[in-house]
Amino acid sequence: MSAWLSVTKAVLPYVSDIISVAVPVFTRRKGNTEESQIQILQQQVTELQGASLQNLGEIKVLAEQLKTALPLLEQEVQLVDAKLRRAGILCGIATGVAVLALVVALIALLSK
């Protein structure tokens, strides 16, 4: 779960750039003649192609960053899992010592 949180934090700064590139501002339709509408459509197609090429570049950069970040995240997850196991073992030992101390205290109280 924490790995996805780290990935989300790594990707979050780039979301606004991706959205701004992914939503191209098309040329408005101003002409009523068929020829002007064709020119406007061609310009809109050109703008869309430019936006998709820009998206492709941004996606490649993001994929490369994700490719380098994932092994590091997996390594961190393994370290955290090991620490969690150690903490669980220590918690079990502490519980055992506490129960033993409680039994000793009860025996001391009952023996008087």
Side-chain angles (χ1 to χ4, degrees):
M1 183 77 174
S2 65
W4 288 109
L5 182 63
S6 299
V7 170
T8 303
K9 285 182 182 179
V11 172
L12 202 55
Y14 301 102
V15 170
S16 63
D17 293 336
I18 292 171
I19 289 174
S20 67
V21 171
V23 180
V25 179
F26 287 118
T27 306
R28 304 278 184 229
R29 293 180 183 237
K30 295 179 183 173
N32 290 334
T33 65
E34 184 177 327
E35 187 176 310
S36 64
Q37 288 181 353
I38 289 173
Q39 287 176 343
I40 291 171
L41 286 175
Q42 287 174 347
Q43 189 173 0
Q44 287 176 342
V45 167
T46 303
E47 290 173 358
L48 185 58
Q49 287 174 341
S52 33
L53 287 176
Q54 207 170 12
N55 281 347
L56 181 64
E58 295 292 330
I59 289 171
K60 284 183 180 179
V61 168
L62 189 59
E64 289 172 2
Q65 290 175 350
L66 191 61
K67 186 178 178 181
T68 57
L70 280 179
L72 297 174
L73 289 173
E74 288 175 358
Q75 184 181 10
E76 287 296 318
V77 166
Q78 289 174 353
L79 290 173
V80 169
D81 283 343
K83 287 180 182 179
L84 187 60
R85 271 187 249 117
R86 275 186 250 136
I89 290 170
L90 287 174
C91 187
I93 291 171
T95 302
V97 169
V99 168
L100 181 64
L102 184 62
V103 168
V104 169
L106 284 175
I107 291 174
L109 278 174
L110 295 176
S111 66
K112 284 188 172 188

